[in-house]
């Protein structure tokens, strides 16, 4: 594609349902995509992953990352695509050495436990250390339907820090929470450093072709309100504000799981949309954030392991609960799980597509 046709394709994508909904403009249908839409519930994903051998090779080979990113778009025609990568790639290239052991989840060879560990962290150049990610973004952009927006993403500084301190997944995040309490200055430096590196990383994804960005604060909900403000919210706010200054047209979605208590503060960061989990109703979230941000969510992923009738009803309830007016992107309240039968996602998508109400009629 030459430069002028790629510029006009980008302009057309700005008018897609997904991008319009994020700007809270009227749309003909509620746009839909699913967190973890490229993943183990899809047989074609499992085949590509087997071909790659392991997760890091899959994410680190642009052609394979592109292949799995496109699979859910080809199968379901979602309104947005999300880069296939992982929030743990950034700490991996900062020298912590990530590995995935089957059945055990992510593990880091090195962890952050002392102020010196924080001081010694490098600042990766995203076009260099994460070149494969940027090449994947470029390739996906070329291969995706021209009208389908591509979402780039990263973990929030706090959520990424939990893995760096714990050395992997955790049930109670005790080491990470203790680090905040016992070494608050080092913890603040870690968050600030991650915020800077994450900003560079996301800006590079935009330069490579991402149309929108999402920050995942999957573990913001384990913090007390004051620790959340100091160590999670502030890091996200600085990322959002720097990116917004440089790219006011690139919408940013914040997903902070288990953080219903903080919706107003999250909306005040300057982001365009909030991802909502299923423990809050969309109508309540809407009442609280007003017209400041769009909302994305919030079907409980476990609904997708139920019968077609249960799925249809739950989807309709979610759409009804959002109610009239623009600004809704349909999604799950968290990632799709590997046990979901792929045909259940057909039921979900069809129900969203067939849903009719006054809010779906564009005013123009
Ligand atoms: O093939 C496999 O078995 C690996 C499973 C898997 C997948 C499909 C992992 C390992 N990462 C991914 C891809 C991924 N991860 C994507 C792109 C796919 C898509 O959305 O279509 C995204 C956006 C992520 C983000 C991610 N990774 C988050 C934030 C979102 C969330 O789910 O809360 C987190 C916390 C991770 C860490 C991670 N990656 C993988 C695992 C097993 C984990 C640990 C999760 C945990 O600690 O419980």
């Amino acid at each position: 594609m030459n430069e002028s046709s790629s510029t006009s394709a980008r302009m057309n994508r700005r008018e897609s349902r997904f991008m319009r909904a994020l700007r809270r403009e009227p749309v003909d249908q509620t746009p839909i995509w699913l967190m973890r839409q490229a993943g183990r519930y899809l047989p074609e994903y499992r085949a590509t992953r087997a071909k790659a051998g392991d997760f890091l090779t899959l994410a680190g080979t642009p052609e394979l990352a592109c292949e799995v990113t496109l699979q859910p778009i080809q199968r379901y025609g979602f309104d947005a695509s999300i880069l296939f990568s992982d929030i743990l790639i950034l700490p991996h290239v900062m020298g912590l050495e990530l590995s995935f052991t089957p059945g055990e989840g992510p593990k880091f060879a090195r962890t952050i436990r002392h102020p010196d560990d924080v001081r010694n962290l490098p600042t990766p150049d995203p076009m260099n250390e994460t070149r494969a990610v940027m090449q994947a973004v470029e390739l996906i952009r070329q291969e995706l339907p021209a009208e389908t927006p591509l979402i780039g993403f990263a973990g929030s500084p706090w959520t990424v820090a939990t893995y760096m301190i714990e050395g992997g997944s955790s049930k109670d995040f005790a080491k990470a929470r203790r680090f905040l309490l016992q070494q608050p200055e080092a913890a603040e430096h870690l968050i600030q450093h991650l915020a800077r590196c994450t900003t560079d990383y996301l800006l590079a994804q935009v330069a490579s072709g991402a149309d929108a960005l999402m920050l995942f604060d999957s573990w913001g909900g384990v913090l007390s309100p004051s620790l959340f403000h100091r160590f999670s919210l502030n890091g996200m706010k600085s990322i959002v504000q720097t990116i917004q200054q440089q790219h006011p047209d690139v919408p940013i979605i914040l997903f902070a799981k288990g953080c219903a208590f903080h919706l107003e503060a999250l909306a005040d960061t300057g982001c365009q949309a909030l991802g909502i989990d299923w423990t809050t109703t969309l109508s309540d979230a809407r009442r609280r954030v007003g017209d400041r941000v769009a909302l994305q969510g919030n079907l409980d992923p476990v609904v997708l392991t139920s019968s077609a009738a249960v799925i249809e009803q739950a989807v309709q309830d979610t759409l009804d609960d959002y109610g009239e007016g623009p600004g809704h992107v349909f999604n799950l309240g968290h990632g799709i799980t590997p046990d979901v039968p792929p045909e259940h996602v057909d039921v979900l998508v069809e129900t969203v597509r067939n849903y009719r109400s006054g809010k779906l009629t564009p005013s123009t």
Side-chain angles (χ1 to χ4, degrees), residues 36-38 40 45 49 55 85-86 153 163 169 218 334:
R36 295 275 175 115
Q37 61 191 19
R40 275 184 294 160
Y45 170 86
R49 192 187 188 292
F55 181 82
S85 185
D86 199 84
F153 74 91
Y163 290 93
S169 301
S218 304
H334 199 199

Side-chain angles (χ1 to χ4, degrees), residues 18 49 59 77 83 105 146 165 173 213 234 268 287 313 339 356:
F18 173 71
R49 192 187 188 292
L83 162 71
I165 299 164
F173 302 92
L213 296 172
N234 285 343
D268 283 341
R287 210 166 27 246
Q313 190 59 55
D339 55 350
R356 288 279 174 272

Side-chain angles (χ1 to χ4, degrees), residues 195-210:
R196 273 193 298 275
C197 296
T198 305
T199 303
D200 293 348
Y201 182 58
L202 290 172
L203 286 171
Q205 293 183 33
V206 172
S208 305

Side-chain angles (χ1 to χ4, degrees), residues 33-40 45 49 55 58 72 82-88 100 105-106 153 159 163 168-170 216 218-219 255 257 334-335:
W33 72 279
L34 302 182
M35 289 192 270
R36 295 275 175 115
Q37 61 191 19
R40 275 184 294 160
Y45 170 86
R49 192 187 188 292
F55 181 82
L58 177 58
I82 183 161
L83 162 71
F84 186 84
S85 185
D86 199 84
I87 65 163
L88 302 179
F100 281 95
F153 74 91
T159 286
Y163 290 93
S169 301
S170 173
F216 289 91
S218 304
W219 311 126
F255 173 68
K257 186 166 177 287
H334 199 199

Side-chain angles (χ1 to χ4, degrees), residues 76-126:
Y76 302 112
F78 287 124
D79 291 294
S81 174
I82 183 161
L83 162 71
F84 186 84
S85 185
D86 199 84
I87 65 163
L88 302 179
I89 299 295
L90 198 55
H92 177 58
V93 302
M94 291 170 100
L96 269 67
E97 236 181 276
L98 176 65
S99 61
F100 281 95
T101 324
E104 280 188 44
K107 286 261 175 311
F108 282 113
R110 276 179 281 283
T111 52
I112 302 291
R113 297 282 160 83
H114 304 285
D116 276 349
D117 299 332
V118 179
R119 269 192 287 276
N120 292 334
L121 282 172
T123 305
D125 168 1

